[in-house]
């Protein structure tokens, strides 16, 4: 398994874990009260920071565990990253129509903010999943 593929696995699970933690925190705060009144901004920012810090720490640990592989990236890695990022871009672009619709409908800020966060998470997970599938099943240009 290449270093880039290891990073993709780490990013996938870290993104899913951090988002699940955010959802659990918000659900826990909503007990007995309307969910739109739950203070969500702090946990949302904290979860985003946790994802970034976690990715940096995971990258450093991976580089320390195999320092000679940390700098290696070949043409295939670049092509896989390009494809995954491209698919993630389309998911993000189409997905943002949901929060835009919520904004036009003048929905509560809670729903707009959480819809945006969900779309960012979905785009990241789809992008990383495409990369992992490309690594595992081979890369065929479209």
């Amino acid at each position: 398994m290449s270093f880039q593929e290891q990073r993709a696995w780490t990013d996938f699970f870290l993104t899913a874990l951090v988002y699940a933690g955010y959802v659990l925190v918000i659900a826990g705060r909503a007990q007995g009260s309307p969910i739109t009144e739950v203070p969500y901004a702090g946990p949302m920012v904290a979860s985003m920071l946790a994802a970034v810090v976690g990715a940096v720490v995971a990258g450093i640990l991976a580089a320390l565990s195999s320092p000679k592989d940390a700098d290696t990236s070949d043409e295939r890695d670049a092509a896989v990253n390009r494809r995954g990022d491209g698919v993630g871009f389309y998911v993000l672009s189409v997905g943002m129509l949901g929060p835009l619709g919520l904004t036009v409908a003048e929905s509560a800020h809670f729903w707009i903010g959480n819809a945006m966060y969900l779309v960012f998470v979905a785009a990241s997970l789809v992008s990383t999943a495409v990369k992992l599938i490309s690594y595992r099943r081979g890369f065929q240009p479209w």
Side-chain angles (χ1 to χ4, degrees):
M1 182 181 313
S2 73
F3 182 78
Q4 299 300 326
E5 184 180 355
Q6 289 174 1
R7 291 293 313 269
W9 280 108
T10 303
D11 290 347
F12 185 84
F13 286 114
L14 186 62
T15 300
L17 182 68
V18 167
Y19 186 72
Y22 168 75
V23 170
L24 290 174
V25 167
I26 295 302
R29 288 183 172 190
Q31 294 177 352
S33 65
I35 191 126
T36 56
E37 294 177 10
V38 173
Y40 66 93
M44 185 182 287
V45 170
S47 67
M48 290 179 189
L49 288 174
V52 170
V53 170
V56 169
V57 169
I60 290 170
L61 293 175
L64 289 174
S65 69
S66 60
K68 70 177 186 171
D69 296 334
D71 292 340
T72 60
S73 178
D74 58 14
E75 186 177 314
R76 179 175 179 251
D77 290 324
V80 166
N81 282 329
R82 195 169 33 255
R83 174 180 280 175
D85 291 344
V87 172
F89 169 78
Y90 288 118
V91 170
L92 182 65
S93 299
V94 172
M96 279 299 160
L97 293 175
L100 180 61
L102 290 171
T103 303
V104 170
E106 297 181 1
S107 296
H109 290 152
F110 176 88
W111 294 117
I112 297 168
N114 278 284
M116 290 175 71
Y117 189 28
L118 176 62
V119 170
F120 282 122
V121 169
S124 175
L125 291 174
V126 168
S127 173
T128 308
V130 168
K131 291 175 187 179
L132 292 170
I133 290 168
S134 296
Y135 277 119
R136 289 293 167 172
R137 295 197 177 164
F139 180 76
Q140 298 294 328
W142 291 341

